[in-house]
Short mmCIF file of all heavy atoms in Angstrom, two decimals:
data_model
loop_
_atom_site.label_atom_id
_atom_site.label_comp_id
_atom_site.label_asym_id
_atom_site.label_seq_id
_atom_site.Cartn_x
_atom_site.Cartn_y
_atom_site.Cartn_z
N HIS A 29 15.87 -0.15 -12.16
CA HIS A 29 16.01 1.31 -12.08
C HIS A 29 17.46 1.67 -11.81
O HIS A 29 18.07 1.21 -10.86
CB HIS A 29 15.09 1.87 -11.01
CG HIS A 29 13.70 2.10 -11.49
ND1 HIS A 29 12.80 2.91 -10.82
CD2 HIS A 29 13.05 1.64 -12.59
CE1 HIS A 29 11.67 2.94 -11.50
NE2 HIS A 29 11.79 2.16 -12.56
N PHE A 33 17.74 7.87 -5.28
CA PHE A 33 17.89 9.11 -4.52
C PHE A 33 17.49 8.87 -3.06
O PHE A 33 16.55 8.12 -2.78
CB PHE A 33 16.97 10.19 -5.07
CG PHE A 33 17.25 10.60 -6.49
CD1 PHE A 33 16.83 9.80 -7.55
CD2 PHE A 33 17.91 11.78 -6.78
CE1 PHE A 33 17.06 10.18 -8.86
CE2 PHE A 33 18.14 12.16 -8.09
CZ PHE A 33 17.73 11.36 -9.13
N SER A 94 13.48 5.83 -6.69
CA SER A 94 14.25 5.33 -7.82
C SER A 94 13.61 5.80 -9.12
O SER A 94 12.41 6.11 -9.16
CB SER A 94 14.36 3.80 -7.80
OG SER A 94 13.13 3.17 -8.07
N SER A 95 14.42 5.90 -10.15
CA SER A 95 13.89 6.24 -11.47
C SER A 95 14.61 5.40 -12.51
O SER A 95 15.71 4.89 -12.27
CB SER A 95 14.01 7.73 -11.77
OG SER A 95 15.35 8.12 -11.86
N LEU A 96 13.96 5.31 -13.67
CA LEU A 96 14.42 4.39 -14.70
C LEU A 96 15.85 4.68 -15.13
O LEU A 96 16.66 3.76 -15.32
CB LEU A 96 13.48 4.48 -15.90
CG LEU A 96 13.69 3.49 -17.01
CD1 LEU A 96 13.50 2.06 -16.51
CD2 LEU A 96 12.71 3.77 -18.17
N ALA A 97 16.18 5.96 -15.30
CA ALA A 97 17.50 6.34 -15.78
C ALA A 97 17.76 7.77 -15.37
O ALA A 97 16.91 8.43 -14.81
CB ALA A 97 17.55 6.20 -17.31
N GLY A 99 18.01 11.62 -16.03
CA GLY A 99 17.24 12.45 -16.95
C GLY A 99 15.93 12.87 -16.33
O GLY A 99 15.67 12.59 -15.17
N PRO A 100 15.08 13.53 -17.10
CA PRO A 100 13.82 14.06 -16.56
C PRO A 100 12.74 12.99 -16.45
O PRO A 100 11.66 13.08 -17.03
CB PRO A 100 13.43 15.12 -17.59
CG PRO A 100 13.98 14.60 -18.87
CD PRO A 100 15.27 13.90 -18.52
N TYR A 101 13.06 11.95 -15.69
CA TYR A 101 12.11 10.85 -15.50
C TYR A 101 11.48 10.96 -14.12
O TYR A 101 12.11 11.39 -13.16
CB TYR A 101 12.83 9.51 -15.62
CG TYR A 101 13.43 9.27 -16.98
CD1 TYR A 101 14.79 9.41 -17.19
CD2 TYR A 101 12.62 8.92 -18.06
CE1 TYR A 101 15.35 9.21 -18.44
CE2 TYR A 101 13.17 8.70 -19.31
CZ TYR A 101 14.53 8.85 -19.49
OH TYR A 101 15.07 8.66 -20.73
N GLU A 102 10.23 10.51 -14.06
CA GLU A 102 9.55 10.56 -12.77
C GLU A 102 10.25 9.62 -11.79
O GLU A 102 10.87 8.62 -12.17
CB GLU A 102 8.08 10.17 -12.91
CG GLU A 102 7.83 8.75 -13.38
CD GLU A 102 7.73 8.65 -14.89
OE1 GLU A 102 8.24 9.55 -15.60
OE2 GLU A 102 7.13 7.66 -15.36
N GLN A 103 10.13 9.98 -10.51
CA GLN A 103 10.71 9.16 -9.45
C GLN A 103 9.59 8.39 -8.75
O GLN A 103 8.49 8.89 -8.57
CB GLN A 103 11.45 10.04 -8.45
CG GLN A 103 12.64 10.75 -9.07
CD GLN A 103 13.47 11.49 -8.06
OE1 GLN A 103 13.20 11.50 -6.86
NE2 GLN A 103 14.52 12.13 -8.53
N TYR A 104 9.92 7.18 -8.35
CA TYR A 104 9.00 6.34 -7.59
C TYR A 104 9.53 6.25 -6.17
O TYR A 104 10.67 5.81 -5.96
CB TYR A 104 8.88 4.96 -8.25
CG TYR A 104 8.25 5.03 -9.61
CD1 TYR A 104 9.01 5.28 -10.75
CD2 TYR A 104 6.87 4.91 -9.76
CE1 TYR A 104 8.42 5.39 -11.99
CE2 TYR A 104 6.27 5.01 -11.01
CZ TYR A 104 7.06 5.25 -12.12
OH TYR A 104 6.47 5.36 -13.35
N PHE A 105 8.70 6.66 -5.24
CA PHE A 105 9.12 6.77 -3.85
C PHE A 105 8.69 5.55 -3.03
O PHE A 105 7.63 4.95 -3.27
CB PHE A 105 8.51 8.00 -3.19
CG PHE A 105 9.19 9.29 -3.58
CD1 PHE A 105 8.89 9.92 -4.78
CD2 PHE A 105 10.13 9.87 -2.75
CE1 PHE A 105 9.52 11.10 -5.14
CE2 PHE A 105 10.76 11.06 -3.09
CZ PHE A 105 10.45 11.67 -4.29
N PHE B 34 7.65 18.45 -12.27
CA PHE B 34 6.93 17.27 -11.83
C PHE B 34 5.90 17.64 -10.77
O PHE B 34 6.16 18.48 -9.90
CB PHE B 34 7.89 16.24 -11.22
CG PHE B 34 9.05 15.88 -12.11
CD1 PHE B 34 10.20 16.65 -12.13
CD2 PHE B 34 8.98 14.78 -12.95
CE1 PHE B 34 11.26 16.33 -12.95
CE2 PHE B 34 10.04 14.45 -13.78
CZ PHE B 34 11.18 15.23 -13.78
N TRP B 35 4.75 16.99 -10.82
CA TRP B 35 3.76 17.09 -9.76
C TRP B 35 3.61 15.71 -9.10
O TRP B 35 3.53 14.68 -9.80
CB TRP B 35 2.40 17.53 -10.31
CG TRP B 35 2.29 19.00 -10.58
CD1 TRP B 35 2.44 19.63 -11.78
CD2 TRP B 35 2.00 20.03 -9.63
NE1 TRP B 35 2.25 20.98 -11.63
CE2 TRP B 35 1.98 21.26 -10.33
CE3 TRP B 35 1.74 20.05 -8.26
CZ2 TRP B 35 1.72 22.48 -9.71
CZ3 TRP B 35 1.49 21.24 -7.63
CH2 TRP B 35 1.47 22.46 -8.35
N TYR B 36 3.57 15.74 -7.77
CA TYR B 36 3.38 14.53 -6.98
C TYR B 36 2.26 14.76 -5.98
O TYR B 36 2.03 15.88 -5.54
CB TYR B 36 4.65 14.17 -6.19
CG TYR B 36 5.83 13.72 -7.02
CD1 TYR B 36 6.71 14.64 -7.56
CD2 TYR B 36 6.06 12.36 -7.25
CE1 TYR B 36 7.80 14.24 -8.32
CE2 TYR B 36 7.15 11.95 -8.01
CZ TYR B 36 8.00 12.89 -8.53
OH TYR B 36 9.08 12.48 -9.28
N PHE B 46 3.80 9.87 -8.05
CA PHE B 46 3.93 10.66 -9.28
C PHE B 46 2.58 10.91 -9.94
O PHE B 46 1.75 10.01 -10.05
CB PHE B 46 4.85 9.94 -10.26
CG PHE B 46 4.88 10.53 -11.63
CD1 PHE B 46 5.54 11.73 -11.88
CD2 PHE B 46 4.22 9.92 -12.68
CE1 PHE B 46 5.55 12.29 -13.15
CE2 PHE B 46 4.22 10.47 -13.95
CZ PHE B 46 4.90 11.65 -14.18
N LEU B 47 2.38 12.18 -10.40
CA LEU B 47 1.18 12.54 -11.14
C LEU B 47 1.51 12.90 -12.59
O LEU B 47 0.99 12.29 -13.52
CB LEU B 47 0.47 13.72 -10.47
CG LEU B 47 -0.14 13.48 -9.09
CD1 LEU B 47 -0.65 14.78 -8.50
CD2 LEU B 47 -1.25 12.45 -9.17
N PHE B 48 2.33 13.95 -12.79
CA PHE B 48 2.59 14.48 -14.13
C PHE B 48 4.04 14.93 -14.27
O PHE B 48 4.66 15.33 -13.30
CB PHE B 48 1.72 15.72 -14.41
CG PHE B 48 0.25 15.54 -14.27
CD1 PHE B 48 -0.43 16.11 -13.20
CD2 PHE B 48 -0.48 14.83 -15.22
CE1 PHE B 48 -1.79 15.96 -13.07
CE2 PHE B 48 -1.84 14.67 -15.09
CZ PHE B 48 -2.50 15.24 -14.01
N THR B 49 4.51 14.91 -15.53
CA THR B 49 5.73 15.61 -15.91
C THR B 49 5.39 16.56 -17.05
O THR B 49 4.70 16.18 -18.00
CB THR B 49 6.81 14.64 -16.42
OG1 THR B 49 7.05 13.61 -15.45
CG2 THR B 49 8.12 15.40 -16.66
N TYR B 51 7.30 19.44 -19.70
CA TYR B 51 8.64 19.71 -20.20
C TYR B 51 8.82 21.11 -20.78
O TYR B 51 9.92 21.66 -20.74
CB TYR B 51 9.03 18.69 -21.26
CG TYR B 51 9.10 17.27 -20.77
CD1 TYR B 51 8.06 16.38 -21.00
CD2 TYR B 51 10.20 16.82 -20.04
CE1 TYR B 51 8.13 15.06 -20.52
CE2 TYR B 51 10.27 15.51 -19.58
CZ TYR B 51 9.23 14.65 -19.82
OH TYR B 51 9.31 13.36 -19.36
N GLN B 91 13.44 20.00 -12.26
CA GLN B 91 14.77 19.48 -12.58
C GLN B 91 15.36 20.42 -13.61
O GLN B 91 14.79 20.63 -14.69
CB GLN B 91 14.68 18.06 -13.13
CG GLN B 91 16.02 17.36 -13.23
CD GLN B 91 15.90 15.97 -13.82
OE1 GLN B 91 15.84 15.82 -15.04
NE2 GLN B 91 15.85 14.96 -12.98
#
Side-chain angles (χ1 to χ4, degrees):
Chain A
H29 276 197
F33 298 78
S94 69
S95 65
L96 187 62
Y101 298 103
E102 63 269 22
Q103 296 187 1
Y104 295 86
F105 283 81
Chain B
F34 307 86
W35 282 98
Y36 292 86
F46 170 74
L47 294 173
F48 304 108
T49 306
Y51 297 101
Q91 191 182 82

